[in-house]
Amino acid sequence: MKKWTATPMTNDQDDKTFHPSRRGFLGVAAVTGAASLAPSALIGTTVASAALAEAPEPPSFHAVEASKLPSPVPGYLSFGPDEAAFVEVMVNVMCPADALTPDGVDCGLAAYIDRQLAGGFGKGARLYMRGPWREGKPELGYQLPLTPEQFFKAGLTAADAACRKLNGKAFSELDESGADGFLHEIATGKVTDERVRLASWFNELVYPLFEQACFADPVYGGNVGKVFWKAIGYPGLPAVHSQDMVDFRGKPFPGAADPKSIADFA
């Protein structure tokens, strides 16, 4: 199965560099969980106001199971048309359809990211947004004069401009191979922008949101049909029941084939 993953793993707690590989994403992400959003100052104050490994292809999930999944959450609350086009291509490249899942859009990954950016997280509801905006140490957490939504959109703008400069076309116009290569170049710092630190934007905001979109409860828009939970044998809410944690520690959970979400207990 071809999925993106942050490998190789290191024991260096200060190493937040994304090491892209398209092999074994689900297994690694299930163990590590979603990374924390804690970038240091990534955009200079002069632009603070500008919100700017391959395995053989398995049979497509769509050929067997896609018709059984509910539809992703319709519409976008934060993304404009160009932003949505970029994100949809990006999540489809990072989560291509295979024997376990449909593509990223059909899994609801773009919808999840959009909802997070449109909500309290994206608006910086729990962030101190009055400055002063000095260069901060990574351990001090988010140090930007932009909300996460503004930072995400600034990165989209900068990345698309860099793509047009390098490839002569928008990111959404690239073929799958070209889009995949471009994302790897961003993640490894080979594509840069003088206003936005694109590697940090991707590694510390985009990729954690992508991971969360895969494994969050489906009520938040992603993981449509609990498809990622089923792929890794995660039972959903029963996994956090204290007695289940005792009884099934290190053992397969008998209800993993039919995981339960928040909606199932509503």
Side-chain angles (χ1 to χ4, degrees):
M1 182 176 71
K2 300 196 307 180
K3 305 289 179 187
W4 275 51
T5 182
T7 56
M9 302 297 291
T10 78
N11 293 321
D12 184 354
Q13 297 301 312
D14 295 325
D15 182 6
K16 296 184 179 180
T17 303
F18 176 73
H19 306 281
S21 166
R22 289 168 62 86
R23 190 183 298 271
F25 164 74
L26 290 177
V28 174
V31 172
T32 61
S36 297
L37 172 60
S40 57
L42 305 177
I43 303 180
T45 56
T46 56
V47 295
S49 61
L52 306 161
E54 299 296 330
E57 278 294 332
S60 172
F61 180 97
H62 287 281
V64 181
E65 298 289 344
S67 62
K68 299 180 182 180
L69 290 181
S71 298
V73 178
Y76 291 113
L77 301 178
S78 176
F79 296 146
D82 292 341
E83 294 164 341
F86 188 114
V87 173
E88 288 182 356
V89 170
M90 179 172 66
V91 298
N92 281 345
V93 167
M94 295 173 71
C95 177
D98 61 17
L100 294 177
T101 74
D103 62 35
V105 170
D106 287 342
C107 286
L109 306 188
Y112 174 92
I113 294 171
D114 172 78
R115 297 304 188 270
Q116 291 299 304
L117 296 176
F121 165 77
K123 304 299 184 185
R126 301 182 66 179
L127 300 177
Y128 181 77
M129 298 300 299
R130 295 193 178 185
W133 309 111
R134 302 190 181 100
E135 188 80 14
K137 297 179 180 180
E139 58 266 29
L140 296 179
Y142 195 88
Q143 298 290 310
L144 298 182
L146 306 178
T147 65
E149 181 186 39
Q150 291 170 333
F151 182 36
F152 192 97
K153 290 175 177 250
L156 287 182
T157 299
D160 205 47
C163 185
R164 290 177 185 274
K165 182 177 180 180
L166 291 172
N167 300 292
K169 58 179 68 175
F171 177 76
S172 61
E173 297 172 335
L174 297 177
D175 60 22
E176 181 179 0
S177 176
D180 179 60
F182 183 72
L183 291 178
H184 279 77
E185 289 178 343
I186 286 180
T188 55
K190 295 178 181 177
V191 173
T192 60
D193 181 271
E194 62 182 9
R195 303 160 299 169
V196 181
R197 298 181 187 176
L198 286 174
S200 295
W201 167 77
F202 184 87
N203 295 325
E204 299 177 26
L205 178 58
V206 175
Y207 189 71
L209 282 171
F210 169 77
E211 281 191 311
Q212 294 161 23
C214 292
F215 295 106
D217 193 288
V219 298
Y220 299 107
N223 193 18
V224 169
K226 309 162 193 170
V227 63
F228 291 98
W229 287 357
K230 293 174 183 177
I232 64 172
Y234 181 70
L237 261 62
V240 301
H241 295 169
S242 59
Q243 192 58 49
D244 286 344
M245 294 168 68
V246 173
D247 294 343
F248 297 99
R249 185 178 301 277
K251 305 175 185 177
F253 187 80
D258 184 25
K260 302 300 182 184
S261 75
I262 294 172
D264 293 318
F265 294 94

